[in-house]
């Protein structure tokens, strides 16, 4: 049998080790580990999606042209500046496959979205991880230092998963100006709607000012369509043209396309929902702080506790109470904003734990 790509030797399939409703032997009632929304898709989407059901025997449009056009219009871009795909993780894979190969490097902050190492390995490139600062921010100076002749892509994430911090606009601008021409920056904005309280009309200046930048967005998070798998990249025409070539055929289903289009037309419903998520996030933050736990201010639908070596035991304690959260071993834990009942259950369990064994 021929050998697999060498960069795949040390990576596992995405979340291979997880089971769906048990964590370390504990029965899970609430899952706050994946930054999903606990609300259903927007009402307009639920009401309108059925229209696509009778046509499921047919393949979808391979280029998802209606959605591409709608996104482009929404962002004041042209159609050839947008590529849609099966989730933003799928689109990121397309980008890396299009731009990178053996011997190339992809630089990103760590801890970060846990699919980055795998997607980089799939492309054949090597990942270069740059530690976050103590405040949970990107260390842009260090990232710049690690950019070399071999670097093809830099991935930035704002709001950042897992810390919820955002990159300052001025610092982003200076950073992008400092990069050499052979480097494409992917700005992963999976959580941007939570930060801005909605999806602003018109793409951020960043695409017009920086020709080598691609913005990555998703319908999985604020729009609540994680189960349908649809996301997109917006960027320079030449990059988008190659990114489309690495797509799997028919990667965006008809239902996903329709749901995403309806989502974009439901700005008012989205805003209501984002306000509810922000309020729940602040309540969760306050509850954790009352227990004298360290919580970073978050601009996304999750919070981050920089617990360092206590991260895993903390996540185990949460699982014992039936609440699954995400541990980044050695760094901290990430808790997604969830149902009020999930927050109450978690806080009660942590309160009992505090009184028994101290803060951590
Ligand atoms: C930072 C970041 N980017 C991208 C994704 C991928 O989202 P999707 O593939 O569902 O669009 C996630 C999912 O958790 C994420 O946290």
């Amino acid at each position: 049998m021929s050998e697999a790509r060498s960069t795949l030797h040390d990576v596992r399939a995405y979340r291979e080790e997880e089971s769906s409703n048990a964590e370390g032997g504990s029965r899970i009632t609430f899952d706050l580990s994946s930054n999903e929304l606990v609300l259903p898709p927007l009402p307009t989407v639920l009401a309108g999606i059925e229209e696509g059901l009778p046509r499921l025997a047919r393949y979808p449009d391979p280029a998802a042209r209606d959605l591409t056009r709608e996104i482009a219009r929404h962002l004041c871009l042209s159609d050839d500046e947008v590529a849609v795909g099966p989730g933003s993780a799928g689109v990121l894979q397309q980008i890396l496959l299009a731009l990178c190969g053996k011997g190339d490097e992809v630089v990103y902050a760590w801890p970060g979205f846990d699919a980055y190492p795998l997607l980089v390995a799939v492309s054949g490139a090597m990942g270069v991880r740059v530690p976050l600062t103590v405040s949970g921010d990107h260390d842009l100076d260090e990232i710049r230092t690690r950019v070399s002749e071999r670097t093809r892509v830099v991935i930035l994430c704002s709001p950042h998963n897992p810390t919820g911090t955002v990159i300052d606009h001025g610092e982003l601008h200076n950073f992008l100006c400092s990069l050499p021409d052979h480097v494409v920056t992917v700005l992963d904005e999976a959580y941007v709607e939570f930060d801005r309280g909605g999806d602003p009309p018109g793409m951020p200046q960043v695409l017009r000012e920086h020709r080598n930048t691609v913005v990555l967005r998703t319908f999985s998070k604020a729009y609540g369509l994680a189960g349908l798998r649809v996301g997109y990249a917006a960027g320079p025409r030449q990059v988008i043209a190659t990114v489309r070539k690495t797509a799997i055929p028919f990667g965006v289903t008809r239902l996903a396309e329709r749901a995403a289009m309806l989502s974009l037309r439901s700005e008012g419903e989205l805003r209501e929902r984002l306000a509810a998520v922000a309020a729940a996030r602040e309540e969760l933050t306050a509850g954790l702080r009352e227990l004298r736990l360290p919580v970073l201010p978050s601009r996304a639908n999750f919070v981050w506790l920089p617990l360092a070596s206590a991260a895993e035991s903390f996540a185990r304690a949460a699982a014992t109470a039936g609440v699954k959260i995400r541990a980044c071993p050695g760094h901290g834990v990430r808790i997604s904003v969830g149902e009020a009942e999930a927050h109450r259950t978690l806080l009660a369990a942590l309160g009992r734990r505090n009184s028994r064994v101290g803060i951590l």
Side-chain angles (χ1 to χ4, degrees), residues 110-183:
W110 198 256
F113 176 34
D114 56 4
Y116 292 159
L118 176 63
L119 298 180
V120 171
V122 168
S123 78
M126 297 295 294
V128 176
R129 299 182 186 189
V130 177
L132 296 171
T133 66
V134 280
S135 52
D137 291 298
H138 284 66
D139 186 343
L140 291 177
D141 290 338
E142 186 57 22
I143 291 178
R144 180 65 191 84
T145 305
R146 302 296 296 275
V147 169
S148 73
E149 271 307 300
R150 288 187 299 277
T151 309
R152 285 290 158 270
V153 173
V154 170
I155 307 174
L156 304 176
C157 182
S158 181
H160 188 59
N161 174 8
T163 55
T165 53
V166 298
I167 302 175
D168 172 78
H169 282 269
E171 287 175 23
L172 176 65
H173 175 79
N174 292 341
F175 174 80
L176 294 174
C177 288
S178 78
L179 290 175
D181 281 347
H182 66 273
V183 176

Side-chain angles (χ1 to χ4, degrees), residues 14-15 33-36 85-92 112-116 119 156-162 188-191 216-221 225-227 229-232 302 326 334:
Y14 189 59
R15 299 216 213 140
S33 71
S34 295
N35 297 343
E36 297 147 326
S88 56
V91 182
L92 180 58
F113 176 34
D114 56 4
Y116 292 159
L119 298 180
L156 304 176
C157 182
S158 181
H160 188 59
N161 174 8
D188 185 342
E189 292 193 335
Y191 301 95
L216 196 61
R217 292 206 181 155
T218 183
F219 290 93
S220 296
K221 305 298 179 180
L225 295 180
R229 316 302 306 126
V230 53
Y232 62 91
F302 52 84
R326 182 63 60 89
R334 190 193 71 196

Side-chain angles (χ1 to χ4, degrees), residues 61-69 84 252 257:
D61 174 4
R65 273 166 298 191
D66 291 343
L67 176 58
T68 303
R69 197 174 312 118
V84 301
V252 176
E257 182 172 17

Side-chain angles (χ1 to χ4, degrees), residues 1-232:
M1 205 179 83
S2 63
E3 269 287 299
R5 207 183 259 275
S6 62
T7 50
L8 291 177
H9 289 169
D10 298 327
V11 289
R12 299 178 72 166
Y14 189 59
R15 299 216 213 140
E16 190 174 42
E17 67 287 358
E18 281 183 31
S19 64
S20 57
N21 64 352
E23 182 85 346
S26 306
R27 190 110 206 119
I28 294 302
T29 312
F30 299 107
D31 188 345
L32 305 183
S33 71
S34 295
N35 297 343
E36 297 147 326
L37 224 56
V38 289
L39 300 164
L42 298 170
T44 302
V45 176
L46 282 183
I49 200 169
E50 273 183 25
E51 211 176 278
L53 292 177
R55 299 209 60 209
L56 285 184
R58 300 281 185 176
Y59 284 112
D61 174 4
R65 273 166 298 191
D66 291 343
L67 176 58
T68 303
R69 197 174 312 118
E70 185 113 3
I71 293 169
R73 204 176 309 137
H74 186 73
L75 302 176
C76 306
L77 297 172
S78 63
D79 297 6
D80 52 6
E81 293 175 295
V82 174
V84 301
S88 56
V91 182
L92 180 58
Q93 176 163 311
Q94 289 173 226
I95 295 171
L96 296 173
L97 286 172
L99 300 180
C100 304
K102 195 172 175 200
D104 294 336
E105 291 182 354
V106 177
V107 185
Y108 54 87
W110 198 256
F113 176 34
D114 56 4
Y116 292 159
L118 176 63
L119 298 180
V120 171
V122 168
S123 78
M126 297 295 294
V128 176
R129 299 182 186 189
V130 177
L132 296 171
T133 66
V134 280
S135 52
D137 291 298
H138 284 66
D139 186 343
L140 291 177
D141 290 338
E142 186 57 22
I143 291 178
R144 180 65 191 84
T145 305
R146 302 296 296 275
V147 169
S148 73
E149 271 307 300
R150 288 187 299 277
T151 309
R152 285 290 158 270
V153 173
V154 170
I155 307 174
L156 304 176
C157 182
S158 181
H160 188 59
N161 174 8
T163 55
T165 53
V166 298
I167 302 175
D168 172 78
H169 282 269
E171 287 175 23
L172 176 65
H173 175 79
N174 292 341
F175 174 80
L176 294 174
C177 288
S178 78
L179 290 175
D181 281 347
H182 66 273
V183 176
V184 169
T185 302
V186 175
L187 181 59
D188 185 342
E189 292 193 335
Y191 301 95
V192 71
E193 297 87 359
F194 297 106
D195 178 31
R196 301 201 187 145
D199 193 9
M203 201 65 192
Q205 285 293 84
V206 78
L207 285 191
R208 292 288 171 246
E209 287 174 4
H210 303 283
R211 298 304 305 158
N212 278 343
T213 302
V214 176
V215 172
L216 196 61
R217 292 206 181 155
T218 183
F219 290 93
S220 296
K221 305 298 179 180
Y223 293 102
L225 295 180
L228 273 181
R229 316 302 306 126
V230 53
Y232 62 91

